[in-house]
Amino acid sequence: MRKNVNSHAVRGYSDRRWILPFFASLLVSVTLFMAAVFGMHSSSYGEDQLQFDIVSLARPEDSTGYFVESDLHGAFDNNEVSNVEAPRLAYLISGTKGDSQRMMRTLQAVYHPRNQYILHMDLEAPPRERLNLSISVKNDPTFREVENVHVMLQSNLVTYKGPTMIACTLQAIAILLKDGLRWDWFINLSASDYPLMTQDDILYVFSNLSRNLNFIEHTQIRGWKLNQRAKPIIIDPALYLSKKSDITWTTQRRSLPTSFKLFTGSAWVMLTRSFVEYCIWGWDNLPRTILMYYANFISSPEGYFHTVICNKQEFRNTAIGHDLHYIAWDNPPKQHPLALTIKDFEKMVNSSAPFARKFAKDDPVLDKIDKQLLGRTHRFAPGAWCIGSSDSGVDPCSVRGDESVFRPGPGAKRLQGLMDKLLSEEFRSIQCSA
């Protein structure tokens, strides 16, 4: 009896198994029918889009859109958003032992609430000095309110002739990118650099320039320089020691690379966001290959970015051969920059460069630059964003106005003249030349 009842119950359940699939099929059929009806009804409105989809699917060989590289490449070429508003600059200001006050002076001279600033004091500076720099930034009321000045928490040993300077620069760029900060150009300065015009002058002129221009002095390494620069192998002790020392030369020599050409130039650059993003995220491995090559290269800060940009077709036409600095070199052999003084003032102004180096700490020429070129009497070089009263010696920049409004001065006229020369067809035609 129990067996018969259970058999009947199982048979009854089996008879009803068609119900769920039936209703599911019915639901799918109704959905497809309604989609077809509405699709035909709206086809006249969406004809262009439909044709675009058909063309896209009819060309399977053009598959670049399916890979992440194409998305990154498109992001590099898209400047529509950045061109809507005035540009923003990102500065790296670096220093070593005894440079904290000089770094603050340079920072204040190039400060603008529209820009971003990151400071790095290397590990050779004592902890107290690095801490005092951080406290100075933290206690400044403008920096605290605008929140656009950052001190790198990790201090690195930096050897100028070795790869550690490039490593520190790339780290600063990565931090600026990681934090999602808005900026269009990256500029590296040292504590011995100083501006020769206001940020209003620079931002005003660059508002009318393409955001694809990279200012990087460069030349291809040829002849005997290949033997002296490319074949020797050096080791930077700052990569593995806790105390700074000079680079070490090895007895081994290496062959010249065949997959890319070597370029050299000034270590001081003004690079576009799209190019430094490529150096950090580049998918074709060229930036990393060249970085590994320059890990044992003498004076790698004077070659890494230069070699990358001139070996990448996408960027080589964006390279402008100028570092935007006035520098006086010893002659001969033009290996070390001379310290600038009052006697160099007119040459600095006539160069039309926005920056100059190198300056000794608190040299009187800096006061002359503040007074005659920057109009700086308080913390910052004033601009249109400073709308406070200057009565009784009050700092006008203590009250901020519209940061997108600029008040260009004589420096803007000088800089525009320099840009006209640098962007001429005659000058640009020789950039990254083989």
Side-chain angles (χ1 to χ4, degrees), residues 71-365:
D71 294 335
L72 292 173
H73 183 87
F76 294 161
D77 290 337
N78 185 9
N79 282 317
E80 294 181 1
V81 175
S82 62
N83 285 332
V84 171
E85 60 176 7
R88 300 173 186 269
L89 309 178
Y91 285 89
L92 165 63
I93 303 176
S94 57
T96 186
K97 180 180 180 181
D99 282 343
S100 58
Q101 294 182 357
R102 301 172 69 191
M103 292 175 66
M104 283 299 297
R105 179 167 186 167
T106 299
L107 169 63
Q108 292 169 348
V110 299
Y111 182 78
H112 194 285
R114 187 169 190 82
N115 298 334
Q116 296 292 334
Y117 302 86
I118 186 165
L119 310 181
H120 176 263
M121 176 163 281
D122 76 9
L123 202 58
E124 189 178 30
R128 173 55 60 181
E129 187 177 12
R130 300 200 304 269
L131 178 61
N132 288 340
L133 178 65
S134 299
I135 293 176
S136 297
V137 171
K138 183 178 181 180
N139 290 341
D140 187 286
T142 302
F143 299 161
R144 186 168 59 248
E145 182 179 356
V146 182
E147 296 183 334
N148 65 337
V149 180
H150 320 274
V151 179
M152 289 179 63
L153 296 178
Q154 178 183 350
S155 293
N156 307 292
L157 279 180
V158 176
T159 306
Y160 176 78
K161 292 184 178 180
T164 43
M165 182 177 174
I166 285 296
C168 183
T169 301
L170 292 174
Q171 182 186 8
I173 293 172
I175 292 173
L176 290 166
L177 295 174
K178 177 178 179 293
D179 290 345
L181 304 174
R182 299 167 61 192
W183 50 274
D184 302 287
W185 275 284
F186 170 82
I187 302 173
N188 63 333
L189 301 176
S190 74
S192 60
D193 289 60
Y194 212 68
L196 301 176
M197 56 190 62
T198 67
Q199 290 301 291
D200 273 21
D201 292 332
I202 297 174
L203 291 169
Y204 175 80
V205 172
F206 277 83
S207 295
N208 300 313
L209 297 183
S210 168
R211 308 292 163 89
N212 288 325
L213 299 176
N214 291 278
F215 296 87
I216 177 169
E217 183 187 70
H218 60 276
T219 183
Q220 187 175 347
I221 305 179
R222 305 173 185 272
W224 60 270
K225 289 186 178 180
L226 286 172
N227 290 328
Q228 291 192 359
R229 286 289 187 103
K231 291 187 176 181
I233 299 176
I234 63 99
I235 297 175
D236 188 349
L239 291 172
Y240 56 88
L241 296 180
S242 58
K243 291 185 178 181
K244 183 184 293 187
S245 59
D246 200 5
I247 59 174
T248 302
W249 296 78
T250 68
T251 57
Q252 289 78 14
R253 295 172 68 85
R254 57 183 167 186
S255 302
L256 298 177
T258 58
S259 60
F260 53 85
K261 297 177 181 179
L262 297 176
F263 288 78
T264 187
S266 173
W268 311 104
V269 295
M270 182 175 184
L271 303 175
T272 62
R273 181 175 185 130
S274 59
F275 175 65
V276 296
E277 282 180 337
Y278 170 71
C279 291
I280 299 293
W281 297 334
W283 59 87
D284 60 7
N285 218 32
L286 177 66
R288 285 173 288 276
T289 299
I290 295 178
L291 182 63
M292 294 175 66
Y293 178 82
Y294 274 95
N296 301 109
F297 196 96
I298 179 67
S299 298
S300 55
E302 299 175 356
Y304 172 68
F305 289 120
H306 317 68
T307 299
V308 173
I309 200 168
C310 287
N311 282 275
K312 181 63 177 176
Q313 186 63 38
E314 180 181 346
F315 292 106
R316 61 179 298 145
N317 292 330
T318 71
I320 307 298
H322 199 287
D323 62 3
L324 303 183
H325 276 69
Y326 173 80
I327 305 176
W329 296 96
D330 55 353
N331 185 22
K334 293 187 177 180
Q335 291 294 320
H336 301 285
L338 301 175
L340 302 174
T341 61
I342 291 288
K343 65 181 179 63
D344 300 297
F345 183 80
E346 293 300 327
K347 294 179 182 178
M348 287 187 279
V349 175
N350 293 335
S351 73
S352 300
F355 308 100
R357 74 181 315 272
K358 61 182 183 177
F359 295 96
K361 182 179 180 180
D362 296 329
D363 190 280
V365 71

Side-chain angles (χ1 to χ4, degrees), residues 46-58:
E47 183 176 357
D48 293 339
Q49 180 64 43
L50 180 61
Q51 291 177 353
F52 176 79
D53 292 341
I54 292 175
V55 171
S56 299
L57 295 175

Side-chain angles (χ1 to χ4, degrees), residues 372-386:
Q372 297 191 19
L373 302 183
L374 304 180
R376 178 172 176 254
T377 57
H378 296 82
R379 290 178 302 160
F380 307 124
W385 64 276
C386 305

